[in-house]
Amino acid sequence: MAHLLVVESWVGSMSRLLPRAIQEGGHTFTFLTRDLHHYLRTAPEGAAHPLLGARNVVTADTNDPASLLPYVERLHEVLGFDGVLTSCDYYLPTAALAAERLGLPAPDAEAVRNACRKDATRRVLDEAGVPGPRFAVHEEWAELAAAARDIGYPLVVKPVDLCAGMLVRRVDDEAQLAAAVRAMADFPVNARGQRRAPAVLLEELLDGPEVSVETVSHAGAVQVVGVTDKSIGGAPAFIETGHMFPAALPAAEAEDVVRTALDALKALGLTEGVVAHTEIKLTSAGPRVVEVNPRPAGNRITELVRHVTGTDLVAAFVDVSLGRAPDLRRADTGLRSAAIGFLVPETTGTLVRLGDTGLWNEPDVLEAELAEPGRQVRAAGSNNEYLGHVMAGDTEGAGARDRVEGLLAALRSGLVIR
């Protein structure tokens, strides 16, 4: 039995999946956080948050690595950790540094830091010749405006250090660019109390659909688990509205996508102890890397993979964090595809009701989770404002997405927000 140190966590599905994977693996964990109430507020009503199933809950300033790392060393002397991990992007570099400090299995800390900074990722991949969009990074308005003219509108504006699509926007002219830059300046601190970098990333707007490549790295080898397709909506924002695994791609196109993802991971140095989620656009000029996430995919993509292949990417994440070979054997689950769709609010107000949910009792529906009437909602600007999701599988082929779209249409037909 191993004992892991979990440094913070997302509060969504991964905050439930990760403790489950640790415990099902026969392990225990200590949970380290700067603000326990951040998790208590998001616990299901009448239930303790799964992260409180930790053997120990310890409070420390996880936003200050300089003081945190010596503190973690002292904890290690008393509690004895076998691995360090986190599911939250904002703490991935800190977890890698802590593991490195303790001499425990870990991906390269600089590689993780570069992957978590969108501007650093762009520079590393560009220097390595991995295909991506034309880009520029600046802080001052005059330089941003000049770079935007050079790249050419329309383009994409991104903060370099936020997640879930927050403040990522398409802009079609200089006025829209100015508004997007102001919105970033008005958000100087992220949801975890960390001060944001003032840099702004400008990127060429890429055409074509988006997919992601799910991989696991151990002992210097990267194994591809599969390719997921993604649907994006909410323009001018880029909101993930659904996913299907596996992506319905021609074999040659899938090979190109996988090769591009592997090239990106190699360029960044993410070939040891990493479960990665690499997002790629299938442009008319070929695959182009959007971003590389050095952690398991969010938005329950890991569950889509598990339903179809039997492979548990969250359990693999625990294994590689302990320096152990992950079990990536596939099993015949009876499903050929699985998809998830998210109910995205387009207006602000109070949720009054949703449409017909009667179809959700049918056997091909794998999951369904919805907001309750009375909830205050706002028009979605990122992946943080969903009203719920539905997941379904297909035993015959790639029909799971169509099934989910039909279920979401039934919900939207009776959706009332006032």
Side-chain angles (χ1 to χ4, degrees):
M1 180 175 70
H3 185 200
L4 291 116
L5 176 63
V6 177
V7 182
E8 303 288 3
S9 168
W10 286 125
V11 295
S13 64
M14 195 56 69
S15 70
R16 301 187 295 274
L17 293 172
L18 185 56
R20 184 191 75 184
I22 292 172
Q23 291 161 350
E24 288 182 353
H27 313 308
T28 60
F29 68 98
T30 288
F31 183 52
L32 181 63
T33 177
R34 64 184 289 272
D35 180 11
L36 183 58
H37 291 285
H38 185 79
Y39 303 93
L40 297 177
R41 289 192 296 268
T42 62
E45 188 173 348
H49 197 287
L51 288 164
L52 299 186
R55 179 197 291 180
N56 313 287
V57 177
V58 180
T59 300
D61 188 356
T62 52
N63 285 349
D64 181 17
S67 65
L68 181 70
L69 295 180
Y71 180 68
V72 166
E73 279 187 310
R74 295 194 295 274
L75 281 179
H76 181 51
E77 291 173 1
V78 176
L79 301 177
F81 303 122
D82 300 293
V84 183
L85 74 172
T86 181
S87 66
C88 182
D89 297 50
Y90 298 135
Y91 297 98
L92 287 165
T94 300
L97 284 170
E100 187 178 88
R101 181 78 166 250
L102 301 181
L104 297 175
D108 180 76
E110 183 180 3
V112 172
R113 185 168 57 250
N114 285 339
C116 290
R117 279 280 302 232
K118 294 180 175 66
D119 52 341
T121 299
R122 281 280 162 255
R123 292 186 178 110
V124 170
L125 297 187
D126 186 58
E127 289 171 4
V130 179
R134 290 179 296 133
F135 71 97
V137 184
H138 296 290
E139 295 182 18
E140 300 300 325
W141 168 250
E143 295 173 319
L144 284 167
R149 290 190 294 269
D150 182 57
I151 295 172
Y153 292 99
L155 49 77
V156 181
V157 183
K158 296 181 177 181
V160 298
D161 52 4
L162 288 177
C163 306
M166 290 186 66
L167 299 179
V168 178
R169 294 293 183 268
R170 168 181 169 146
V171 296
D172 294 299
D173 55 39
E174 195 165 287
Q176 292 179 8
L177 174 62
V181 171
R182 283 196 301 271
M184 290 185 204
D186 290 340
F187 194 74
V189 177
N190 70 22
R192 298 308 182 97
Q194 298 170 334
R195 183 155 293 279
R196 292 190 47 252
V200 176
L201 175 61
L202 305 180
E203 293 181 355
E204 167 192 11
L205 179 66
L206 299 173
D207 62 358
E210 187 172 324
V211 298
S212 63
V213 182
E214 322 309 334
T215 55
V216 180
S217 305
H218 174 70
V222 183
Q223 184 162 336
V224 177
V225 176
V227 181
T228 309
D229 82 11
K230 308 166 76 69
S231 55
I232 308 294
F238 294 84
I239 300 171
E240 295 181 354
T241 59
H243 311 282
M244 186 174 76
F245 184 90
L249 295 178
E253 193 166 36
E255 289 175 7
D256 286 345
V257 165
V258 166
R259 183 168 54 252
T260 302
L262 294 177
D263 287 346
L265 292 169
K266 181 179 179 181
L268 285 163
L270 294 172
T271 57
E272 178 58 52
V274 179
V275 177
H277 169 72
T278 303
E279 298 175 349
I280 293 175
K281 276 277 194 179
L282 304 175
T283 78
S284 55
R288 297 289 184 269
V289 175
V290 176
E291 61 185 41
V292 180
N293 299 282
R295 43 81 178 156
N299 267 351
R300 299 193 73 75
I301 290 174
T302 58
E303 294 305 280
L304 299 181
V305 173
R306 185 177 62 83
H307 279 299
V308 175
T309 70
T311 301
D312 189 336
L313 286 170
V314 186
F317 181 40
V318 173
D319 285 336
V320 299
S321 297
L322 291 168
R324 301 177 180 181
D327 182 1
L328 301 178
R329 290 172 296 177
R330 298 171 77 95
D332 186 356
T333 66
L335 292 182
R336 297 296 171 261
S337 66
I340 187 169
F342 300 98
L343 189 61
V344 180
E346 297 178 354
T347 59
T348 297
T350 301
L351 177 62
V352 176
R353 68 171 183 269
L354 294 165
D356 180 21
T357 61
L359 295 174
W360 292 22
N361 296 319
E362 297 191 16
D364 62 344
V365 175
L366 304 171
E367 289 183 12
E369 184 176 307
L370 286 176
E372 294 290 334
R375 172 174 158 179
Q376 297 300 305
V377 301
R378 60 180 179 177
S382 72
N383 299 338
N384 293 325
E385 286 93 24
Y386 299 136
L387 292 179
H389 72 263
V390 59
M391 183 188 295
D394 181 18
T395 59
E396 302 296 328
R401 176 180 287 285
D402 288 343
R403 176 61 167 148
V404 164
E405 287 301 324
L407 292 165
L408 285 176
L411 283 174
R412 294 189 193 101
S413 68
L415 175 63
V416 177
I417 298 175
R418 292 186 181 139

